[in-house]
Amino acid sequence: MEKTRAPSSHAQRLVASPPGGHEEKSPPESSVYMDYNATTPLEPAVIQAVTQALQDAWGNPSSPYPAGRKAKDIIGAARESLAKMIGGSSRDIVFTSGGTESNNLVIRSVVTHFHKTHTAEGDPAPRHSPAEGAVPHIVTCTVEHDSIRLPLERLVEEQVAEVTFVPVSPVSGQAEADDILAAVRPATCLVTVMLANNETGVIMFYGPRIGALYVRGLGEHTPLCPMLFGGGQERNFRPGTENTPMIAGLGKAAELVTENCEAYEAHMRDVRDYLEERLVAEFGEKKIHLNCQFPGVERLPNTCNFSFRGPQLQGRAVLAQCRVLQASVGAACHSDHGDRPSPVLLRCGVPVDVARNALRLSVGRSTTRAQVDLVVRDLQQAVARLEGRGGTPSGV
């Protein structure tokens, strides 16, 4: 999950109740937030769960007194909520600090387990090894998040593992199953391919910045080797006193997804489709390139990645001229990459001059068509200023 600051509370306002029958705060009309792939404002029910835990469950979950027992109960309930949301067992849930830690934990675990099971300490000869002198091999794709790509690249640099980065198809933007299977070797110990790309479509939970890792058959059928050592919390897989308030918030966010997922998706898809229709209608197909539409390929419902065609219309330049829209040019973790085009888009077959101009707009549960109209008007004015058709550019 990418991390940026959510809109500040003083800049939020109440909008019409979204699907699910509750109200959600979002930025005011004068500032339309469309960067939900980077981070989301917390649902009111999640804020309430976090606040309640801070008040009533401040104790150490490993302690026997009431505040500690309350914290332990809250963590257990949150674990059950997450398991219900994904259709798994609560025993297979490990709370972590977020997606980056979870991904690193899995990668390090499979490499450690490979070495442990294929080489006995003090015995130079591999045992049960798939090949003489084999090292663990991992398969992934070329558009993975940095929390996968960078740990794998580090393992290769350290000569601890070998990695195959399977290219995605420029036709579908996907890593094809046959290509993944063809990359598998006898020493392959992990295949890691994201469910959806964070620049062309993501899965969201409107929860706090904390994470949970699901490992089927945790500790029984599937090994997990801890990166931290301490007091034995999380069944020794991730020791350290649990962050009860954030876990409570994540559990509540999971409940909301379980109860309202279909309504959330339908609403976001409607608004996202309306956004793309309005962009094409106002700018024309020759001016707009939709970077996230691949024929016959399903995508998640909230994300629109597009580029304006034109040498002056780099994504950052357009956003700098916008007075209403709050969005990004791509992944928040790449925000310091300047005007370099997104590697993800390039690997999906988007031309360099088009990728350089990319904008990623991601809508949320309470984004409205009226807000879309405001954003499209704002983009029209920004493009006109950059092309010298709208007076002096803002900031000059």
Side-chain angles (χ1 to χ4, degrees), residues 325-348:
L325 173 63
Q326 294 183 8
S328 67
V329 297
C333 51
H334 294 161
S335 59
D336 60 349
H337 285 197
D339 287 329
R340 282 180 287 171
S342 161
V344 168
L345 295 181
L346 295 178
R347 291 164 187 159
C348 290

Side-chain angles (χ1 to χ4, degrees), residues 32 34-35 306 308 312-330 339 356-361 375 378-379 382-383 385-386 394:
V32 178
M34 286 194 177
D35 203 18
F306 68 95
F308 292 114
Q312 307 107 315
L313 303 180
Q314 285 85 10
R316 291 182 185 278
V318 173
L319 285 179
Q321 295 300 320
C322 286
R323 296 167 178 171
V324 173
L325 173 63
Q326 294 183 8
S328 67
V329 297
D339 287 329
R356 186 177 290 113
N357 291 9
L359 292 169
R360 182 187 68 176
L361 274 56
V375 164
D378 193 31
L379 288 168
V383 168
R385 284 191 289 269
L386 287 170
S394 61

Side-chain angles (χ1 to χ4, degrees), residues 97-386:
S97 63
T100 294
E101 182 189 339
S102 297
N103 290 337
N104 277 262
L105 180 56
V106 169
I107 291 169
R108 288 289 177 177
S109 291
V110 296
V111 170
T112 299
H113 182 71
F114 183 97
H115 287 294
K116 185 183 296 184
T117 56
H118 290 88
T119 304
E121 186 175 352
D123 180 4
R127 58 185 174 87
H128 312 303
S129 180
E132 182 73 19
V135 297
H137 174 247
I138 297 171
V139 178
T140 188
C141 72
T142 55
V143 298
E144 281 295 324
H145 190 271
D146 280 358
S147 62
I148 294 290
R149 179 181 64 83
L150 293 177
L152 294 182
E153 289 179 351
R154 176 62 62 88
L155 292 176
V156 173
E157 291 172 5
E158 296 172 349
Q159 298 183 334
V160 174
E162 295 179 351
V163 180
T164 298
F165 290 90
V166 176
V168 296
S169 166
V171 176
S172 66
Q174 296 175 323
E176 301 291 350
D178 290 343
D179 295 336
I180 295 291
L181 293 174
V184 173
R185 309 174 186 172
T188 300
C189 57
L190 176 67
V191 175
T192 172
V193 179
M194 58 175 33
L195 175 64
N197 184 266
N198 54 298
E199 294 192 38
T200 57
V202 297
I203 295 176
M204 304 192 305
F205 307 110
Y206 279 43
R209 291 196 184 112
I210 190 169
L213 173 64
Y214 172 72
V215 182
R216 188 167 60 183
L218 176 60
E220 299 174 359
H221 307 295
T222 307
L224 190 67
C225 304
M227 295 192 296
L228 304 173
F229 299 89
Q233 294 87 350
E234 294 300 290
R235 295 166 57 196
N236 281 315
F237 293 118
R238 205 273 184 174
T241 302
E242 300 92 337
N243 190 344
T244 304
M246 296 297 103
I247 291 173
L250 185 59
K252 175 55 68 173
E255 285 182 32
L256 294 173
V257 170
T258 300
E259 295 168 2
N260 304 303
C261 186
E262 291 184 4
Y264 290 155
E265 288 190 2
H267 173 77
M268 287 187 286
R269 183 176 292 107
D270 174 76
V271 175
R272 190 274 315 276
D273 289 349
Y274 179 69
L275 169 63
E276 293 180 346
E277 291 167 5
R278 291 280 286 114
L279 287 171
V280 173
E282 294 301 326
F283 291 97
E285 293 184 358
K286 292 184 179 181
K287 190 72 171 181
I288 282 281
H289 183 273
L290 295 174
N291 302 319
C292 55
Q293 289 190 354
F294 296 92
V297 175
E298 289 188 25
R299 54 183 173 135
L300 294 176
N302 79 312
T303 306
C304 172
N305 194 308
F306 68 95
S307 298
F308 292 114
R309 299 182 188 272
Q312 307 107 315
L313 303 180
Q314 285 85 10
R316 291 182 185 278
V318 173
L319 285 179
Q321 295 300 320
C322 286
R323 296 167 178 171
V324 173
L325 173 63
Q326 294 183 8
S328 67
V329 297
C333 51
H334 294 161
S335 59
D336 60 349
H337 285 197
D339 287 329
R340 282 180 287 171
S342 161
V344 168
L345 295 181
L346 295 178
R347 291 164 187 159
C348 290
V350 178
V352 174
D353 60 329
V354 176
R356 186 177 290 113
N357 291 9
L359 292 169
R360 182 187 68 176
L361 274 56
S362 43
V363 303
R365 298 172 186 172
S366 64
T367 309
T368 65
R369 288 189 170 209
Q371 289 177 319
V372 168
D373 292 335
L374 287 173
V375 164
V376 172
R377 188 180 309 121
D378 193 31
L379 288 168
Q380 287 175 312
Q381 295 170 353
V383 168
R385 284 191 289 269
L386 287 170

